[in-house]
Amino acid sequence: MRAAVLHEIGQDKLEILEDVETVGFGPGKVRIRVRATGLCHSDVSAMNGVLPQPAPFVPGHEGAGEVVDVGDGVTSVKPGDRVLLCWLPACGRCPACKRGQTHLCLAGFMNAGTPNFKRPGGEVFGFAGTGTFTEEVVVDAGCAVPIPDDVPFDIAALIGCGVTTGLGAAINTADVSAGSSVAVIGCGGVGVSAIQGARLKGAAQIIAVDPVASRREAALRFGATEAVSPDELPDAKQRITAGEGFDYVFEVVGRSATARTAYETTRRGGTLCVVGAGALDDFLQLSMFELFFDEKRILPSMYGGGDVLTSYERAIALWRAGRIDLAGLITHRVPLAGINDALDQMRTGDALRTCIEI
């Protein structure tokens, strides 16, 4: 079958191969025919080594498709079911799951070191234990989440990661208060989803911060009350908050420099929500005095900070009701053969979310 493969970490181009096979099908497993997958910045981060991932590997973790076959013991789905792929399934048994923090379950990460594919040249991994830039993938049954018939595959794919992450950061993790002021630094697909979440929670002012003009324009369509470039943020802070800082600031880039800016943009006693996935060796520096004196809450948000299955259902309900715009997040559509052009658009910031139709 066809799959997009990165041979070595640090390469910026994927090779479309036709000699890739899935491996690992058996008890407790599900084979899925991928119909749509989103290109998330985490895929790029894995390619360039910011996020740890063994190579060679098939990127992609934000996908949806149809169940082709199920292994022994699988009762949650059956062949023909429409599903989205959950890249971080909860085991239901570990301490995190028992505490109700299913988004912190590490069971899914255990699969990241097991090859999902093979080809004549050897084993091939799947990013985050999945790998959706391919025609078929084999995953644990918990990764295959049934979706209603009225949810298109492209919308379901976005709910599988970016939408859940952004909405959840505002709704679950930060729990934005009605009437508050919000700044979102980084307005790609996840950042715009955070903007929509803040709007749903009743934020009075939502400032979108991004260096790319097209993303700033898009953020206004999704609920931002104002959009500024990073250079304009200090002026916006002074003008809107009289220099005090915003009640909530979301860092959706994943870099210590922007996290530091976000901290400085948050008011004393306010909330900094870190949503971006950064590198292991990129350290945020804060003095012990400012941590004590400013009493700012620093809240990391992993996969939306809540039970992902509940978050999926909520996103679908909000989308059906017209409360959130998911179709508008997809600014580009390409076939698998156009993946490298899509990567270039991602790197330049020209796309919110690119849907790869397989």
Side-chain angles (χ1 to χ4, degrees):
M1 66 178 184
R2 290 185 308 145
V5 176
L6 186 82
H7 296 286
E8 295 181 6
I9 301 298
Q11 293 178 334
D12 61 359
K13 299 293 184 183
L14 298 172
E15 184 177 5
I16 308 299
L17 302 173
E18 297 186 357
D19 59 357
V20 180
E21 299 178 49
T22 59
V23 298
F25 183 73
K29 299 289 186 176
V30 176
R31 186 189 305 276
I32 298 171
R33 172 65 171 92
V34 180
R35 295 296 183 184
T37 180
L39 174 55
C40 179
H41 199 276
S42 295
D43 299 309
V44 178
S45 295
M47 291 173 61
N48 62 27
V50 169
L51 296 180
Q53 170 63 46
F57 75 99
V58 175
H61 60 290
E62 189 180 77
E66 298 163 333
V67 175
V68 176
D69 200 2
V70 300
D72 291 343
V74 176
T75 59
S76 55
V77 293
K78 62 184 183 304
D81 282 355
R82 305 169 75 256
V83 297
L84 65 78
L85 279 128
C86 173
W87 61 271
L88 193 60
C91 71
R93 302 179 301 275
C94 69
C97 286
K98 290 179 179 179
R99 285 192 299 264
Q101 296 177 304
T102 55
H103 64 293
L104 297 182
C105 177
L106 293 175
F109 283 115
M110 300 302 103
N111 296 324
T114 302
N116 287 40
F117 310 94
K118 69 176 182 179
R119 53 187 303 262
E123 298 176 330
V124 179
F125 297 90
F127 177 46
T130 55
T132 55
F133 293 178
T134 180
E135 293 177 327
E136 288 189 2
V137 64
V138 170
V139 293
D140 286 342
C143 296
V145 180
I147 55 173
D149 290 342
D150 66 328
V151 181
F153 288 127
D154 53 0
I155 297 297
L158 297 184
I159 292 172
C161 184
V163 168
T164 294
T165 299
L167 281 180
I171 297 173
N172 299 328
T173 308
D175 191 16
V176 171
S177 298
S180 60
S181 61
V182 171
V184 178
I185 301 177
C187 298
V190 177
V192 166
S193 295
I195 288 171
Q196 295 199 75
R199 184 196 64 199
L200 284 167
K201 293 287 286 183
Q205 296 164 311
I206 305 173
I207 311 305
V209 186
D210 199 282
V212 181
S214 61
R215 287 189 170 184
R216 296 197 297 270
E217 293 169 5
L220 294 171
R221 298 196 302 270
F222 287 97
T225 56
E226 187 174 339
V228 300
S229 69
D231 291 342
E232 297 170 320
L233 179 57
D235 175 70
K237 173 186 171 183
Q238 181 64 41
R239 175 168 43 82
I240 296 169
T241 74
E244 182 184 21
F246 295 90
D247 297 317
Y248 300 89
V249 180
F250 294 85
E251 196 279 348
V252 200
V253 180
R255 294 179 181 170
S256 61
T258 47
R260 180 69 214 190
T261 298
Y263 182 89
E264 294 169 355
T265 307
T266 306
R267 67 166 173 80
R268 292 186 69 214
T271 298
L272 162 59
C273 187
V274 179
V275 189
L280 287 167
D281 58 353
D282 187 12
F283 296 96
L284 171 62
Q285 289 192 332
L286 298 167
S287 75
M288 292 302 295
F289 177 79
E290 63 188 337
L291 279 175
F292 162 78
F293 186 72
D294 291 336
E295 203 177 284
K296 299 178 184 181
R297 296 192 306 160
I298 302 176
L299 302 178
S301 186
M302 174 77 170
Y303 208 177
D307 178 74
V308 293
L309 299 183
T310 301
S311 295
Y312 295 162
E313 293 174 357
R314 178 178 61 199
I316 291 171
L318 290 168
W319 168 76
R320 280 176 171 163
R323 301 290 304 281
I324 57 174
D325 178 8
L326 300 187
L329 287 171
I330 304 172
T331 53
H332 296 75
R333 295 177 183 274
V334 300
L336 187 60
I339 184 61
N340 285 312
D341 290 339
L343 285 167
D344 289 340
Q345 291 168 339
M346 167 73 75
R347 295 184 180 104
T348 59
D350 290 338
L352 287 180
R353 254 314 185 264
T354 296
C355 176
I356 303 162
E357 299 172 329
I358 301 175

